Amino acid sequence: MKHAKVGFLMTDEVVSVTGRTPSADVASLLVEHDIGGMPVVDADEQVLGVISRTDLLVQDHLTAQDLMTSPAVTIHAEQTVTEAARLITRRGVTRLPVIDDEDRLVGIVTRRDLLRVFLRPDHEIHRVLVEDVLADTMDIGADAVSVRVVDGVVTLAGRLPRSSQIPVALRLAGQLDGVVAVIDRLTAHSNDTRTRTAPPDRGTEDVRR
């Protein structure tokens, strides 16, 4: 899911306004739809900026274009959810208008949408690791590996049949939604590889004591 496209996660029924929309009407729409902000678009649905509740505190009798933040921080529907999360964090915004190849508005993705992807209960991570990753994908029995998950940090301990299985287990664990790091406590009965180090993977931490 972290590698899913923004288009999969976005809301495609977007509340937007034009640059000439009076600020009073903008405020009414924000209250009516219970949202914190919305894109400002032109006649071709191209995004001009973003206007939020905070912008409306300046003064009345202005238009959306007078008050909006411009240029808008946008993202394309084909970019990944991970890229969206990094962009929101780096630019300090709470929502990203989603645009197509012609820069036209096609949706919106918010910080709350992204949190639903990256926040996952520890017990659910544990279940997926044991049942889906280790048992189904790698055909490793539950008695071979001990799985511990605390606040998204996964610790894998135990002895696998072959050393080549260790980097695979670490990589697959690190790719799961909600996993922020993987601590390696794995050994193997037989060494069938020359290297013991797993290839680097975002969200995976190889820690030995």
Side-chain angles (χ1 to χ4, degrees):
M1 186 66 177
K2 289 184 292 187
H3 305 290
K5 304 301 183 183
V6 169
F8 176 81
L9 186 69
M10 71 181 188
T11 300
D12 54 10
E13 294 183 3
V14 190
V15 180
S16 62
V17 293
T18 66
R20 300 178 65 180
T21 303
S23 59
D25 292 345
V26 174
S28 296
L29 284 170
L30 292 177
V31 172
E32 178 185 348
H33 295 278
D34 192 24
I35 53 179
M38 65 182 75
V40 181
V41 299
D42 62 16
D44 296 321
E45 288 294 306
Q46 293 186 327
V47 179
L48 301 174
V50 172
I51 189 166
S52 66
R53 291 176 184 255
T54 306
D55 297 324
L56 296 174
L57 296 177
V58 180
Q59 54 183 311
D60 293 328
H61 310 301
L62 295 175
T63 66
Q65 191 160 0
D66 295 326
L67 298 173
M68 70 184 184
T69 300
S70 180
V73 182
T74 61
I75 194 164
H76 285 85
E78 289 304 308
Q79 290 182 253
T80 66
V81 170
T82 300
E83 289 175 309
R86 290 174 182 164
L87 186 57
I88 275 183
T89 301
R90 187 172 67 249
R91 298 298 295 272
V93 297
T94 58
R95 61 190 55 82
L96 296 172
V98 183
I99 58 177
D100 61 16
D101 292 337
E102 297 181 4
D103 295 335
R104 293 176 301 193
L105 181 69
V106 294
I108 196 162
V109 63
T110 67
R111 184 185 296 271
R112 182 179 299 178
D113 295 329
L114 296 171
L115 284 176
R116 288 202 296 266
V117 173
F118 287 94
L119 293 183
R120 193 177 199 175
D122 288 343
H123 67 83
E124 176 65 11
I125 295 174
H126 184 280
R127 184 195 66 78
V128 173
L129 270 173
V130 172
E131 298 178 8
D132 298 347
V133 175
L134 296 176
D136 292 347
T137 302
M138 299 190 66
D139 196 25
I140 295 174
D143 57 340
V145 178
S146 169
V147 178
R148 183 168 181 262
V149 186
V150 179
D151 295 333
V153 178
V154 173
T155 300
L156 298 179
R159 180 168 293 186
L160 301 182
R162 302 181 305 279
S163 59
S164 60
Q165 294 175 304
I166 295 176
V168 176
L170 296 176
R171 185 178 69 252
L172 292 177
Q175 290 175 346
L176 287 180
D177 300 339
V179 173
V180 297
V182 180
I183 299 175
D184 176 14
R185 298 281 187 270
L186 295 171
T187 59
H189 288 286
S190 64
N191 183 8
D192 61 345
T193 59
R194 292 184 178 181
T195 178
R196 173 66 174 81
T197 305
D201 184 82
R202 288 191 178 90
T204 303
E205 178 184 356
D206 186 1
V207 179
R208 300 184 180 85
R209 292 180 181 174

